[in-house]
Each structure stands twice: as structure tokens, then as C-alpha cells.
Amino acid sequence: MTSLIKKNASGPADDGDANLLINEVVGVPGGIGEAARRGRAAAYDSFLRGLLPERDGVALLAVGGLGRRQCAPYGDLDLVLVHAGVPGTDELAASVWYPIWDAGLRLDHSVRTVAEALSVAQDDVKVALGLLDARLVVGDQALADALIRTAADHWRRTAVRHLPGLREVTEARWQAHGELAFLLEGDLKEAAGGLRDVGLLRAISAAGITDALRPAVRAAHLRLLDTRDALHQQVGRRVDRLVAQERDGVATLLDLRRLQPGASDAARRPGAVVEDGDALLRRVAGDARTVSHALDDAFRAADRLRSGRSRGGNGRPARRPVARDVVEHDGELVLARTAIGARPDPSLSLRVAAASATTRIPIARATCEWLAAYCPPLPAPWPAEARAALITLLGAGAGLVPAWETSDRYGLVDGWLPEWTRLRSLPQHNPVHRFTLDRHLVQAAHEASRHAREVERPDLLLLGALLHDIGKGLPGDHSTVGVPVAQAVATRVGLPAPEVELIGKLVRLHLLLPDVATRRDLSDPVTIASVAEAVGDTGTLDLLHALVRADAAATGPAAWSDWKGRLVAELVARVRTALDTGVLPEPPAPDPELLAGPLPVVHLTGDRVSVAAADRRGLLATVAGCLALHRLEVISADASAVDGRALVECRVQPRYGLPPDPVPLRADLRRAVAGDVSVTQRLRGRALASRGGGAAPRVVWHREAATDAVLLELRAADAAGLLYRVACALDEAGALVRAARISTLGADVVDAFYLVGGWPDDATRARLEAAVLAAV
């Protein structure tokens, strides 16, 4: 008799109704904070004691949050009914479980003897950890004490042996859920640095391996629990992921509407406050960092202990030099004795961090604390040795992120870059970003190291990647306001004036290539000439090309795609030709298959859709609508007339991941461009049904962006059929579109339309603009 079958273990269907029922039947109080959590635990205890009469040989134990008296507003009950082989245990258990389910509570339960519980704990480390939190609620005290004491003794004897497997499982969880400190929508429980990791720290402390629950960790844990309480209360159900739309409400419940350390310059004015959600995200990030670093230290302590036991506990670990003034000692980097005895030079902390990144050996906590206390500040400008150490650190690849994070945790990074205080844990309010700003910048440098051999100055690429978004959080366009900040850093680091200017140029132009590639006609000489003039030389072009790829990889999967990479590469190739030869490349010739054979012509190849028809007027709108009907997104479109034929050539991608059947797509295109009214009606009906919402759309005009056209740029919410509706509106207003470029940015789009002619009249432009906005 090891357990009962769970019934309704996941709780009722409507969590809101469940909470009402819980309050009525159980009397569980709400609220946030340690007192509220203990109050909920006391209410649950009282409820449970009424379900199980006092008797020898039976004990009801609470584990999990109830065992620790840290009950969340919508948490589970984790219970173990322990017995000494008394008869009627199944019926007794049922008399406890069913009232709990009837009260609408979520329940995880088991029924075991002491021997069975200990046997399961030996085989399942998660059960062993759960028993460390076990607490008697009602029943036989001696029986409960026997299980709790024996489970704790067993864990102390076997913890070192179990921890490698537990660490493997933990790292798999981190891989799945990411790092709470750097995520914009992290899971407070499962992500690295979350509440689940605090449980591991308790277990390691209970094993006597190290004092993992230091005061800073305990304080961080309490704040994370408060945040989860507030999240439950805000949403009205059990949820652990802190999504963007709930941040402000949770922060208000936690009374975080006040100035936070590291806020932006604008927020540092007297009486100013930062946004609630940002303050909350910064606090969660700091707490998650505290937990993560404590767990890293604890795992390393366990590794050292296990290694010492494998040697029989005899002898001392060898010290192996890895860099000047840096040695490896028992799996960690520490300072050489000569470095500690002498007056340290200002570059020492950078050299230690660089050694850690290149060897991927963590820095010992005591070493970090010593460097933070005794390493003198860097002079301005930096000595060459410090500058070289920074570039080595940034170019270390996968070792950069953990070495930088450790250095940041102990305040070393603030000594290198005082600007980092403002950037630390700064949220990025854009759906394509997965990381906070500080982690994004370090990740960008890591990604840039992959392209170091493609550029003449890899050192400037690495530094530019670290600084490219340094203007974020300041008023204005970050690409512009970040230039003087980045140049000030480059000057302090010790770069000569020309290289300082180049760093500023990389910051100012780091969005140029992707913006132009996705929003402008690459066959237009004006496009190529303007980019070539802005870039200036092929060396800078190569740096920008590498930087944009690193930036996109550090942003998230939504920031890059194969088609975007091809467009950027095509732009770079054309600009390189112009810079090398001074001659602008010829525009590509139309698909030759469109110029032969009877009309209409429909040609589908890969991501290209090409159509030729007898009448140019309205052809782009018709093709765009038909593609939307088949769930294809248009990335770019070119319209032209050759030898009396109207041509439309589009690059497309599936809207939902799967390409459409080419046979019906080809048939619909042929019928639509031939003027089949039934197809047109289907197009209009589908497009009107899929209009998107979002912020108010906006139209921006660019008069000098094309050779023979004026550029109308539409910024609006993304929606299926948007290009079709806008193209119809432009056609009905008398505008001739020769090209369109579609750029999707999360839930928004920036659609650029090249309109043939000058369109100099204000009234005519206003009429056209109104027609476009009405179509959106």
C-alpha cells in the first residue's frame, strides 16, 4: 500500500471559483508577505486537523510550501499520510483526501509506511528533497519524528553522491526555462535563480556541505515569494510566469512605485519615479542573481568535497598557473600569492575575468571579494594591459557570459564601466527581445566573437557590440544619444581618436543595414548610394554587417530569419561594389519566364512568386490579396512594365510556418489576375475579416529616398491582408506602386511603398494618406 490514486489532483476547472470556495470552507486568508503565508499555513493546518482524528500509528505530514509554512495564495497542498501498518488506512486516507478535493484545493498526496517512504527517497532524489521540508500537521508525533529524522540523516550521508545527478536535472530545467535574471517574462519558480533553486540551496545546507542560505539569499528568497504572492493575487489563479501585462499590477501590490537604484538618468531627478513594472523586473533580476550565484558556489563546494573524498581526503589540491597572477586551485581561479602580497595593478580584475572566460574556470568567491575590496580603480585612459584584457574577455566566446556575470555580481564591472549601473537589468519593451539590456549587450559581444575573423578590426567589433545599445534608457533615439556615451567609454578605455570615432559610427549606424534591407528597394541606385555614403568604407561595412548579425542573434529568434539575412547580404554586396568601384550596380533583370508565353504567367519558385499580366493597374493589390488568402506573407514586392507586360515579383514566407499547396495557389493567381470576380470577392471577404488592432497607424513620407519615386511608409499593427487593403487603397486613389517592402517588428509592421512621381502637392498627399489610414 504505497499510495492512493490521485483524484482531481490538478484542481477545479475555474480557479477563481475555487478561491471563493477555499475561503468559505477552509478560511484561508489572502495577502502578501511572510505573515500572510504563515496565516495561510495555519488555516490549512486547522482545516486538515479537523479531517484526521488523533490516533497512534498514523501521521499526516505536510511537505512543499505547506511544510515550510510558505503557502502561496493559489498553491498546492503536498501531503504524506504515514502509517505504521494500521488496518483501514485506505479508508482513512479517503476520509482526508475527499474533503480537500470537495473544498476545491489542488492536492498532491501519498500514503506510505516509514520504510516505504525512505525506500522511495533512496531511489528518487526529488522525494528525498521533499522530505527535508516535512512537518507534522496532525497525528503520531513519534512516527513523524522517526521519518523526518531518518530522512534528514540519510540525506546528509548521501547528498554528495546524489548532487551530480540532481545538478544534471537542474541544468536541463535551466535550459528549458532560461535565466530569471535576464528574461523579460521569466518563470519565478522554474527559471534559473528562481524559487526551485532556493530549495536546492536548502538541501545543500541541510547536508552540511556549505552555508548556502546566507542572509542575502534569505532576503532574496522572501522577496521572490512576495512577488509570487502578488502575481497570484493579481491574476486570480496559480501562475508562476511573470508576463509583461501583469508587471505593473504586481509592482503596485508590492508598493514598488518609487525610485530604484540603477534607474535611468531621467528617473534620477528629485521626485521622479520609474515605471512600476521596470522596478519590479530589476528587483526580481537582482534576487535571481543572488540565488544563482549562491547555487553555483554551493555546487562547486559539493564538487570539491566529492573530489576530496575520491582522494581519500589526503593531500592538498595542486595549484596550476593559468595566467599572470592567476592560478587554478581545486577547480576555481584564485590569485597567485605574489599578487596578493604585492600592490595590485588596476588591470588585475580584468585579467582575472579574462582568464576565467578563456579557461571557463569559475572565479572563487573569496577572490572576487578581495578584488572588489583591494583592486585599485583603473586610470583614464586605461593602460594597454587592461585594454587587452577587456578584448580577451569579450572575445572569449561561451566563457564570456558566466565570467562577466560573476564579475558584475561582485561590483567589478561597475569599476570598469560606471555606465553599467544604469544598464543593469533594464527591461527592453519590445516583443522580439528575450533578455534585459545588460545581458543583451554581453550576449551580443559573445555572438560577435563568431564573426571576429571576418573583419579587419575584431577588437572594435567586440567593443562595438558591447556598446551598441548603450543609449537605451536615455531620452531620444538610442542610436543617436548612445554615440557620445559610447565614445566616452572608448576614450576612457584608451582608444585613439580615429577609433573612438569609429565606435561612435558603429553605434549610430548599427540599425542601418537591417532597416534599409527590409524597408527599401535594393535595386534603386539612391538606396545603395545613400548607404555607401553613410558607411564610407568597406572596413566599416564589414564591421556593421558582423554587428547586425550578432545583435540579431543576441535579441532572439524573432529578430532574424533566412530572408532577412539574404536581404542584408544582398545590400552589403551592392554597397561593397559601389565602395570598391564607385559604380552603382545594375538593377536585377526581371524573371525571363515572365517575358515569354501567353498571358497571364504565374511562376512559383521557393520563396518567390512572379506574375505577368496584360494590365498593370491593380495587379499588385490582386496578387497581394491572393497570397494573403493562401496565408503567405509578402516580404518584398516589385512592380514594373516591360514590353507591354505588367510584372509583379514578390518574396514571400508562410504566415503560420507551413507552405501552401502550389496547385490551388497557382490556379487562384491565374483566375484573379485574369479578372475573375469570384476570386476578388473571396479576397475582400477574407481580408476584411482579418483586420488587426493595436496602436493608431501612422504614415511617414520620404522625398529623397528613391530615384524616380516618393516613399510612403506605413507604420501599423500587423494583420493578414494588410498589404492587399493598402495596395487597393493606393490604386483607387490613383497612385502607381513600383515597389513595396514589408518589415514585421513583433506585432507591428513598417510597410514602405515606392510611388511613381514626385507627389509634391500637400493636398494630394493628404488625400492619399487618409485613404491609406482608412484601409488599415
Side-chain angles (χ1 to χ4, degrees), residues 564-748:
K564 190 170 186 178
R566 289 196 297 271
L567 289 176
V568 171
E570 180 182 343
L571 173 61
V572 169
R574 290 174 175 272
V575 173
R576 184 184 304 281
T577 299
L579 290 171
D580 284 341
T581 67
V583 178
L584 296 174
E586 292 293 328
D591 186 344
E593 293 194 18
L594 299 181
L595 304 179
L599 296 174
V601 178
V602 176
H603 189 207
L604 308 179
T605 55
D607 65 347
R608 291 182 178 271
V609 174
S610 304
V611 175
D615 185 9
R616 182 178 183 180
R617 178 64 66 181
L619 182 60
L620 174 60
T622 300
V623 172
C626 195
L627 294 175
L629 184 66
H630 288 265
R631 297 182 178 181
L632 283 172
E633 291 182 329
V634 177
I635 298 167
S636 65
D638 293 289
S640 60
V642 178
D643 297 333
R645 292 177 176 236
L647 311 179
V648 169
E649 299 178 80
C650 301
R651 281 183 172 176
V652 299
Q653 66 180 6
R655 188 171 186 86
Y656 300 109
L658 295 176
D661 188 337
V663 175
L665 172 59
R666 184 180 287 106
D668 277 350
L669 283 168
R670 285 182 176 276
R671 293 167 55 203
V673 299
D676 189 319
V677 177
S678 64
V679 177
T680 305
Q681 289 174 341
R682 289 170 58 207
L683 298 177
R684 287 185 177 275
R686 177 69 63 88
L688 291 174
S690 61
R691 288 180 181 237
R698 180 187 176 200
V699 167
V700 179
W701 293 86
H702 301 274
R703 301 294 303 275
E704 307 296 333
T707 304
D708 59 350
V710 65
L711 190 65
L712 182 151
E713 193 173 80
L714 171 65
R715 303 174 184 177
D718 188 19
L722 178 62
L723 176 60
Y724 167 65
R725 297 197 302 273
V726 175
C728 285
L730 292 172
D731 181 58
E732 292 169 1
L736 186 61
V737 180
R738 74 159 176 80
R741 295 293 180 271
I742 313 303
S743 179
T744 303
L745 306 171
D748 293 336

Side-chain angles (χ1 to χ4, degrees), residues 323-326 339 344-345 347-356 385-386 389-390 416:
R324 186 166 70 87
D325 297 328
V326 185
D345 73 83
S347 66
L348 181 59
S349 62
L350 272 165
R351 291 192 285 110
V352 173
S356 175
E385 188 175 32
L390 175 63
W416 309 336

Side-chain angles (χ1 to χ4, degrees), residues 137-171:
V137 176
V138 61
D140 191 325
Q141 182 73 57
L143 186 67
D145 288 346
L147 175 58
I148 294 171
R149 182 179 60 255
T150 307
D153 290 342
H154 177 266
W155 173 250
R156 280 191 291 270
R157 292 194 308 269
T158 62
V160 173
R161 174 166 52 86
H162 283 302
L163 281 178
L166 184 59
R167 183 172 189 171
E168 183 177 340
V169 173
T170 300
E171 289 175 348

Side-chain angles (χ1 to χ4, degrees), residues 335-336 339-345 348-349 364-376 410 412:
L335 294 175
I340 297 175
R343 176 180 175 83
D345 73 83
L348 181 59
S349 62
R365 185 178 77 185
T367 299
C368 291
E369 293 171 344
W370 190 94
L371 290 170
Y374 298 110
C375 191
Y410 290 93
L412 303 181

Side-chain angles (χ1 to χ4, degrees), residues 184-188 231 234-235 237 239-250 277 280-281:
L184 298 175
E185 295 188 335
D187 190 304
L188 296 171
L231 180 60
Q234 169 72 16
V235 178
R237 58 185 174 86
V239 60
D240 294 321
R241 185 171 296 279
L242 182 60
V243 296
Q245 61 264 32
E246 306 297 349
R247 278 193 220 125
D248 285 352
V250 171
L280 172 64
L281 200 60

Side-chain angles (χ1 to χ4, degrees), residues 45 53 62 88 110 133 177 215 227 266 316 447 489 556 561 613 657 708 744:
D45 285 355
S110 62
D133 296 324
H177 293 279
T227 302
R316 300 176 62 186
E447 300 292 345
V489 173
S561 62
D708 59 350
T744 303

Side-chain angles (χ1 to χ4, degrees), residues 99-116:
I100 294 174
W101 288 321
D102 291 341
L105 295 167
R106 299 166 61 100
L107 173 63
D108 192 357
H109 60 86
S110 62
V111 181
R112 296 184 175 116
T113 66
V114 171
E116 288 170 343

